[in-house]
Amino acid sequence: MMKLWRKRVSEAEASTASIIVDGARKATGGRAKTRVVMTMAVFFGIYATIAGRLVYLGFEDAEASSGPASRITASRPDIVDRNGEVLATDIKTASLFAEPRRIVDPNEVIEKLSLVLPDIEVEQTYHKLKSGAGFVWLRRQLTPKQQNDIMQLGIPGIGFRTEKRRFYPGGETASHLVGLTNIDNQGISGLEKYIDDQGLADLQASGLAVAKDLKPVRLSIDLRVQHIVRDEISRAMEKYHAIAAGAVVFNAKTGEVVAMASVPDYDPNNPYNAHDKDRLNRMSAGTYEMGSTIKSFTTAMALDSGKVTLESRFDASRPITIGNQTIRDFHGKGRVLTVPEVFIYSSNIGSAREADVVGIEGHREFLHRMGLLKRMNTELPEVARPSEPKVWKKVHSITIAFGHGMSTTPLQTAVAAAALMNGGKLIDPTFLPRTQEEADAVAKQVIDPKTSENMRYLYRLNAEKGSGKRAEVPGYRVGGKTGTAEKVVNGRYSSSVRFNAFLAAFPMDDPQYIVLSIIDEPKPEKPGMAATSGLNAAPIVANIIRRSASLLGVKPEFSHESKATLVSYQ
């Protein structure tokens, strides 16, 4: 019995031990499986994270994925002309950067880069590559070929970042008007700067200047007419061997600048010479003695005073001597002249006597009223301030009457002339579209409508019978006034160095446009010829009107050309 009990106990112990061993084995196997599963989960998580990051980087905007945030170039709105033609737009370009911490041999990098960029600044680039910084610019705004050639070099530690830069499809055509941006796509001149000053710079700084949200900025400029104006002044500068030339087409009804150019100019896509002193915008940023074009305002002033009529006469038989100055006529008639004769013969003596009728204070007040002696109010930032004597004396009034002794800009001369033609309303110039109603709301009545009517008659008379004959364009009834001003050389007026201008309006029965041309220091077209404005500035205006009038919507009329009658008093 005892043996049987012991046998059963041994069997029970063996069974229990077997169960314990099997349990231990199962427990060990379970833990191993758990560890494997956990390890697989960790690795899966790591790979999933890497894969997700790669997917994220693949869809991320390349422009925002490299380079310091403070240097990201912001978007700008397109600039278009009045017909929607693009004058300025953003394009994408590649810029070269380096990560100095990854550069092993700066000398080798510079040596390779110089094969593509031979003008690279060696010393500056070397210091950048040795700086140990995480990011440095090496060259902004590469050409596609430069980018491709650098990529072929296979240099570790350098890369490319896509940026925005400004592109001007018309090149030089409207460079002075549209202006420029800097390397970070911020406006620094012209209407590009004006746009920034209107709030774009704040949008860029806050990161809200998103391309799709920026509407194009439409200008009053007509690109077709702009091309004609620049073409004509470029030809004239070459033909007459002048140092500069310029012209403007101005809407006398709305105050819109339809076209304006000044040469020499520059290519805004490669503006290396944009700041040269001879490449300023002479039409708005330069001031000049405008010569006999100012006689337009002297005559208008005399008529508007009520003390002078078209039938009034002035003695121009003898020169006027005041102090140590003697006032003479260029081609004097040596007799009494009517007001129309004073105008078409461009008599200095007659103009001086017209000013004398009004008086010194009245003369100065009138020129200020016409906006000729105030800084012009317009969108273009490059606007010069006119100059005048600090204290006006009689000698100043007499010389200013025929265009010597005060300086103003050609553009505001055209603006003031519009008031002489449009019924007497002075309208500040604009480079943005403006309706007739908007123009009427800002216009100032500066002369009597009857004075304006008389000035239209005198302008047409001068084109038919006076110095403005070379500005005639059949069918378009042009009127105008010449201006040949002697320039000051070494403190004295020089009879051989001139600044010429021609101030015109058309069609004279109801002037829609003012056209003003200037040409600086022209030479005679042929030996023995003169170099007066009637021979060089007037033809510029005629060519501009001939080529652009139909584009401006002015229809020619040949059936009843108006003929002005000159009343002469012998």
Side-chain angles (χ1 to χ4, degrees):
M1 181 65 68
M2 183 63 69
K3 291 181 179 180
L4 181 61
W5 180 79
R6 288 177 178 172
K7 182 179 179 181
R8 289 180 176 174
V9 169
S10 297
E11 290 176 351
E13 289 176 348
S15 176
T16 302
S18 176
I19 291 172
I20 292 172
V21 170
D22 289 343
R25 287 175 179 173
K26 289 181 179 179
T28 302
R31 285 195 296 272
K33 288 181 180 180
T34 300
R35 284 196 297 271
V36 170
V37 170
M38 290 178 64
T39 302
M40 291 175 65
V42 170
F43 279 102
F44 178 79
I46 293 172
Y47 285 117
T49 301
I50 294 172
R53 181 62 178 169
L54 291 174
V55 171
Y56 171 79
L57 293 174
F59 285 99
E60 188 184 23
D61 184 2
E63 297 183 13
S65 62
S66 62
S70 62
R71 299 303 299 271
I72 294 177
T73 50
S75 297
R76 300 185 64 79
D78 285 355
I79 299 177
V80 300
D81 82 335
R82 65 188 306 115
N83 301 312
E85 296 292 331
V86 176
L87 300 173
T89 189
D90 280 348
I91 61 172
K92 292 184 178 180
T93 184
S95 290
L96 178 67
F97 69 87
E99 299 171 277
R101 295 172 186 172
R102 297 180 55 201
I103 299 296
V104 178
D105 186 353
N107 289 316
E108 181 183 2
V109 173
I110 294 172
E111 183 179 354
K112 289 184 176 181
L113 287 177
S114 64
L115 298 175
V116 180
L117 306 173
D119 60 337
I120 192 170
E121 296 181 7
V122 176
E123 185 176 352
Q124 184 183 40
T125 305
Y126 179 81
H127 288 306
K128 286 183 177 181
L129 297 178
K130 290 287 288 182
S131 66
F135 181 99
V136 293
W137 288 116
L138 296 182
R139 177 65 64 87
R140 307 286 290 275
Q141 299 181 355
L142 299 169
T143 66
K145 184 179 187 306
Q146 287 174 329
Q147 181 188 13
N148 182 67
D149 290 346
I150 293 173
M151 290 177 65
Q152 299 301 319
L153 297 174
I155 306 173
I158 68 169
F160 302 94
R161 178 179 179 276
T162 301
E163 293 192 291
K164 295 185 182 74
R165 66 165 290 186
R166 211 59 167 159
F167 176 64
Y168 303 91
E172 300 95 335
T173 305
S175 57
H176 281 127
L177 304 184
V178 177
L180 291 170
T181 58
N182 62 15
I183 198 73
D184 293 312
N185 222 21
Q186 298 168 335
I188 57 174
S189 68
L191 293 168
E192 292 277 29
K193 185 177 188 304
Y194 167 78
I195 292 170
D196 280 35
D197 294 342
Q198 299 309 299
L200 178 63
D202 295 334
L203 285 176
Q204 290 178 334
S206 62
L208 298 177
V210 182
K212 63 183 180 63
D213 296 332
L214 298 176
K215 295 181 180 179
V217 176
R218 189 177 298 273
L219 305 185
S220 61
I221 302 300
D222 187 317
L223 185 58
R224 302 168 301 174
V225 182
Q226 179 71 23
H227 169 75
I228 291 169
V229 167
R230 186 183 181 277
D231 183 53
E232 288 298 334
I233 62 175
S234 298
R235 292 184 184 187
M237 188 174 75
E238 181 179 355
K239 180 177 181 180
Y240 301 111
H241 307 285
I243 64 171
V248 60
V249 178
F250 183 74
N251 190 317
K253 302 288 189 179
T254 64
E256 295 169 295
V257 177
V258 179
M260 188 172 81
S262 172
V263 290
D265 50 17
Y266 59 88
D267 181 358
N269 296 308
N270 183 28
Y272 68 95
N273 56 356
H275 297 295
D276 291 356
K277 63 179 182 179
D278 65 328
R279 296 181 187 274
L280 84 161
N281 181 3
R282 285 169 166 79
M283 299 304 293
S284 66
T287 59
Y288 306 93
E289 292 188 351
M290 294 299 295
S292 294
T293 59
I294 298 299
K295 292 174 183 174
S296 301
F297 307 103
T298 304
T299 299
M301 172 184 67
L303 293 170
D304 202 58
S305 71
K307 300 176 181 179
V308 175
T309 67
L310 289 179
E311 290 74 34
S312 297
R313 295 177 290 176
F314 294 96
D315 184 4
S317 59
R318 294 181 302 275
I320 298 175
T321 300
I322 180 168
N324 60 353
Q325 294 195 44
T326 301
I327 312 303
R328 295 183 174 87
D329 284 342
F330 185 63
H331 289 300
K333 299 300 178 181
R335 60 177 174 82
V336 173
L337 302 176
T338 64
V339 168
E341 288 177 323
V342 168
F343 193 79
I344 69 169
Y345 298 146
S346 199
S347 171
N348 293 340
I349 299 170
S351 297
R353 296 198 185 282
E354 287 177 339
D356 195 38
V357 169
V358 177
I360 298 171
E361 288 304 316
H363 191 180
R364 184 174 184 272
E365 185 278 329
F366 183 82
L367 294 181
H368 274 273
R369 192 198 319 164
M370 299 301 293
L372 288 166
L373 297 178
K374 300 177 181 178
R375 190 175 188 275
M376 190 165 43
N377 180 30
T378 189
E379 300 86 8
L380 201 64
E382 294 78 26
V383 173
R385 186 179 297 278
S387 64
E388 61 174 311
K390 290 184 178 179
V391 178
W392 279 50
K393 299 179 180 179
K394 188 170 183 177
V395 66
H396 298 128
S397 181
I398 286 176
T399 58
I400 288 173
F402 53 85
H404 283 187
M406 60 159 275
S407 297
T408 191
T409 69
L411 176 56
Q412 61 196 116
T413 305
V415 173
L420 302 184
M421 299 291 111
N422 67 11
K425 296 179 179 179
L426 183 66
I427 309 171
D428 285 338
T430 181
F431 292 85
L432 304 176
R434 180 190 281 161
T435 65
Q436 185 67 63
E437 292 72 21
E438 291 170 338
D440 291 340
V442 299
K444 300 175 183 176
Q445 192 74 36
V446 289
I447 62 173
D448 189 271
K450 180 62 177 178
T451 303
S452 177
E453 181 183 339
N454 289 335
M455 291 307 301
R456 290 196 294 269
Y457 161 75
L458 293 176
Y459 261 49
R460 181 60 185 150
L461 180 68
N462 193 46
E464 292 180 338
K465 302 180 183 297
S467 58
K469 292 178 181 178
R470 291 177 181 263
E472 273 276 58
V473 181
Y476 290 106
R477 306 172 305 288
V478 179
K481 183 72 186 78
T482 51
T484 303
E486 296 175 347
K487 293 183 68 173
V488 176
V489 179
N490 298 324
R492 299 174 63 94
Y493 284 104
S494 171
S495 60
S496 61
V497 183
R498 300 179 176 91
F499 180 87
N500 293 352
F502 190 82
L503 182 56
F506 78 101
M508 286 313 303
D509 48 341
D510 183 20
Q512 303 293 311
Y513 295 97
I514 303 295
V515 183
L516 171 64
S517 68
I518 62 169
I519 185 160
D520 198 354
E521 297 188 18
K523 310 301 185 294
E525 184 178 356
K526 296 178 182 179
M529 291 183 64
T532 56
S533 61
L535 297 174
N536 44 51
I540 297 174
V541 168
N543 291 338
I544 290 173
I545 293 174
R546 185 179 297 109
R547 295 176 62 184
S548 66
S550 61
L551 300 175
L552 295 170
V554 181
K555 297 180 180 179
E557 293 184 12
F558 300 98
S559 58
H560 52 85
E561 284 276 1
S562 62
K563 293 293 181 181
T565 302
L566 172 62
V567 179
S568 177
Y569 290 82
Q570 301 298 330

